[in-house]
Amino acid sequence: MRETFSEILENGLKSFLPLLCSFFLLLVIYVPVHLPLSRFLRPDVGMICVYFWALYRQDLFGSISAFLLGFVADSLSAVPMGLNVFAFMFVFAAGSTASSYINMKPFAVSWLGFAVISFLAFVIKWLLISVFYSRFLVFGSIFVGYLATVCFYPLIARLNIFIQNRYLASEDVVYEQG
Amino acid sequence: MKRRRVLFVRLSQLRLFARKFLIAVLFVSALALMVLSKADTFVLEKTSNVVLQVFNPIIRVVQMPAQFVYGVYERIKDISYVYAENKKLRKENIDMLLLKNQLRTLKTENRLLARLLNYMPPPEATFVTAKIVAEEGDGFSHSLIAYIGDTDKVKEGQVVLGAESVVGRVETVAGRYVRVLLFTDINSKIPVLVERSRERGILSGDNTTVPKLQFTALNADIRPGDMLVTSGVAGVFPAGLPVGIISRIGEDEIDVETITDIPQLEYVRIVDYGIYEDVVKLISENEG
């Protein structure tokens, strides 16, 4: 049976949905909220999205998507170009490798996996930027950012789970949180 | 019977190899981007500007509901403070009137003295007010993105002021948006002097909320509470703009507290003193 134009369009959009949602969430985090310390408690939403989609939907969110998301994150911030790209690529590679172990396990396992992988990613970012500037950055404020990212994981993952189950799931696969 | 050995590669194996190869290529590309970024290439800057121009309007749209909620919160907060604020403003108004009279006298005196010395005053500064549409301030970088509209007066290197003091300088101009590098960022180095004792130093950001005062003399007369102003050295910032207040003098470092509450900023003023362009022109003429 031949697909109609609207079906082709719908399928095309669906295949880009993880990347589009990740872009959207990435932009939301840059919105000024005018609260004390809010600038330091911003989670690295891009990292959460890359990990989540690498874990559950590598077919729709590949390494190029992780690269593009990192490139946009680098362009929007004042960090050296390539820093977020490298970190996101690391999270993608680690997430997709861990996928077979973590997939279909309780949510806490994927959260723990994220805590470990994102910690390594933050350390890599810290080392790379320290090499770039030829001086070590204060790790304390970076660690606060890491903690904020890990704490926000359930919220962002829940949003992604909603998108997955509502728009992308095949009838027999439904991801649950809890 | 002799067994035949058949070598074959399955399509799935080939696909797996291609995926791994792509990941490796993208890792190398990320490192290459960092190297290019260090070299400050024009192509990379242009690409980054295009991304800024494409994504910032989306941030502005996303910002609207958050701005609305914040506006309502601010209005409720303002109502509760209105009486105390009014009393404070009345007192400030009386002080301001006295200062205004003093200023008028000093201006006249200054004009007369300048005429006596045949002094040529610098051109008046012009400024553009820009709305902040995006902010970031984690351990890796500190910057803002502001909307400047259709003006072509904003150039890279111009000074950015908050309500009370310097907050940074224009790093990139991308169409209707500018990226402001905050003075708390690790890339920011501002030549400053202590207003009271005229001791010189460099205010250096380190991606925390507390930038450090460096390169001061060992026996420098610096105390907590001293105001730091720009020294005007290096030509990016004109002299005399307030930057911060000394908050702590440690054994190895001097902490500086910011005057402007950066997270509370909604608008910034981008000021053109005409100094930076003159300095760049002078340097290029000398190099030429």
Side-chain angles (χ1 to χ4, degrees):
Chain A
M1 201 174 80
R2 283 186 68 188
E3 279 183 312
T4 61
F5 177 72
S6 61
E7 279 172 342
I8 294 168
L9 196 73
E10 194 185 324
N11 289 338
L13 267 175
K14 273 184 179 176
S15 60
F16 281 110
L17 201 56
L19 182 62
L20 292 175
C21 288
S22 304
F23 274 141
F24 180 77
L25 290 170
L26 186 78
L27 298 182
V28 167
I29 221 67
Y30 284 99
V31 171
V33 286
H34 309 295
L35 293 171
L37 295 175
S38 59
R39 294 166 69 234
F40 294 93
L41 296 174
R42 267 164 216 270
D44 195 333
V45 171
M47 200 177 274
I48 298 174
C49 290
V50 169
Y51 174 78
F52 180 87
W53 294 116
L55 214 58
Y56 298 112
R57 292 306 296 260
Q58 283 170 55
D59 54 330
L60 299 179
F61 192 96
S63 50
I64 292 176
S65 300
F67 186 92
L68 287 175
L69 197 66
F71 191 80
V72 170
D74 282 336
S75 300
L76 289 173
S77 71
V79 295
M81 282 297 251
L83 186 75
N84 280 312
V85 175
F86 195 91
F88 288 3
M89 285 308 300
F90 171 78
V91 172
F92 178 82
S96 50
T97 309
S99 171
S100 52
Y101 306 107
I102 295 174
N103 214 335
M104 295 300 174
K105 293 259 172 34
F107 179 76
V109 177
S110 76
W111 194 4
L112 186 70
F114 178 73
V116 174
I117 291 171
S118 62
F119 180 76
L120 293 173
F122 269 85
V123 170
I124 288 170
K125 268 173 92 172
W126 176 64
L127 287 172
L128 280 175
I129 204 166
S130 298
V131 169
F132 189 87
Y133 291 130
S134 310
R135 62 182 274 202
F136 282 110
L137 261 70
V138 181
F139 192 73
S141 51
I142 290 167
F143 191 70
V144 171
Y146 160 73
L147 287 179
T149 307
V150 173
C151 290
F152 267 85
Y153 178 78
L155 181 72
I156 307 295
R158 203 180 187 100
L159 281 169
N160 287 336
I161 286 169
F162 171 77
I163 290 157
Q164 157 63 30
N165 290 343
R166 180 81 172 79
Y167 301 106
L168 304 171
S170 52
E171 280 158 20
D172 53 333
V173 183
V174 173
Y175 294 98
E176 285 178 0
Q177 188 182 358
Chain B
M1 202 175 83
K2 206 175 180 183
R3 283 176 66 191
R4 270 180 70 196
R5 288 181 71 191
V6 181
L7 281 175
F8 65 93
V9 181
R10 281 187 193 156
L11 199 66
S12 60
Q13 280 177 321
L14 205 71
R15 217 175 269 162
L16 191 72
F17 173 76
R19 273 182 57 193
K20 282 182 177 171
F21 183 72
L22 182 65
I23 289 174
V25 168
L26 292 174
F27 263 115
V28 174
S29 307
L31 286 175
L33 275 175
M34 283 194 82
V35 174
L36 283 173
S37 165
K38 188 89 177 164
D40 225 0
T41 57
F42 179 74
V43 179
L44 209 59
E45 196 186 313
K46 275 276 163 203
T47 320
S48 166
N49 281 0
V50 170
V51 174
L52 272 179
Q53 286 179 53
V54 170
F55 281 91
N56 278 319
I58 306 170
I59 298 180
R60 276 191 78 200
V61 175
V62 172
Q63 190 191 28
M64 282 169 186
Q67 281 298 110
F68 176 75
V69 174
Y70 180 69
V72 172
Y73 163 75
E74 278 291 292
R75 185 154 286 193
I76 294 166
K77 205 173 83 179
D78 284 352
I79 290 167
S80 62
Y81 288 122
V82 76
Y83 288 109
E85 193 80 358
N86 200 18
K87 204 174 168 185
K88 193 180 140 206
L89 284 172
R90 276 174 200 274
K91 193 184 169 297
E92 270 181 16
N93 199 26
I94 293 166
D95 294 345
M96 286 290 191
L97 281 171
L98 286 170
L99 280 172
K100 194 180 159 190
N101 286 336
Q102 280 178 7
L103 183 74
R104 198 182 297 141
T105 316
L106 285 169
K107 258 184 145 177
T108 315
E109 193 181 303
N110 188 282
R111 201 170 50 238
L112 289 169
L113 289 169
R115 203 180 294 162
L116 277 174
L117 292 167
N118 208 14
Y119 172 70
M120 289 299 288
E124 293 247 330
T126 56
F127 67 88
V128 171
T129 303
K131 185 170 171 56
I132 296 167
V133 293
E135 62 170 21
E136 57 138 7
D138 54 13
F140 295 105
S141 64
H142 285 201
S143 68
L144 300 171
I145 293 171
Y147 178 73
I148 52 167
D150 291 322
T151 182
D152 57 351
K153 289 178 185 167
V154 177
K155 302 271 177 331
E156 283 176 20
Q158 285 178 352
V159 180
V160 180
L161 301 176
E164 296 141 287
S165 64
V166 172
V167 292
R169 66 180 159 82
V170 175
E171 191 194 34
T172 321
V173 182
R176 294 174 174 185
Y177 298 89
V178 287
R179 186 191 290 131
V180 176
L181 190 78
L182 295 174
F183 75 98
T184 48
D185 188 274
I186 194 162
N187 287 306
S188 172
K189 306 274 181 285
I190 306 176
V192 289
L193 52 86
V194 179
E195 198 180 40
R196 181 182 56 80
S197 60
R198 317 306 284 175
E199 295 283 357
R200 286 175 186 275
I202 300 285
L203 184 67
S204 176
D206 60 354
N207 288 353
T208 67
T209 44
V210 194
K212 307 286 181 282
L213 181 64
Q214 296 177 329
F215 304 111
T216 51
L218 278 174
N219 56 352
D221 178 16
I222 302 171
R223 295 179 208 152
D226 278 347
M227 169 80 88
L228 287 179
V229 294
T230 50
S231 68
V233 176
V236 176
F237 295 94
L241 296 173
V243 187
I245 295 166
I246 303 285
S247 61
R248 189 185 71 89
I249 300 173
E251 275 187 26
D252 303 322
E253 54 188 24
I254 301 172
D255 292 348
V256 177
E257 193 184 312
T258 58
I259 299 173
T260 301
D261 190 4
I262 296 169
Q264 294 293 328
L265 275 179
E266 282 185 70
Y267 293 91
V268 285
R269 276 178 302 156
I270 301 169
V271 191
D272 180 15
Y273 290 95
I275 300 172
Y276 184 69
E277 283 157 10
D278 289 349
V279 171
V280 170
K281 204 174 151 189
L282 200 71
I283 291 168
S284 59
E285 273 175 12
N286 281 345
E287 279 174 354

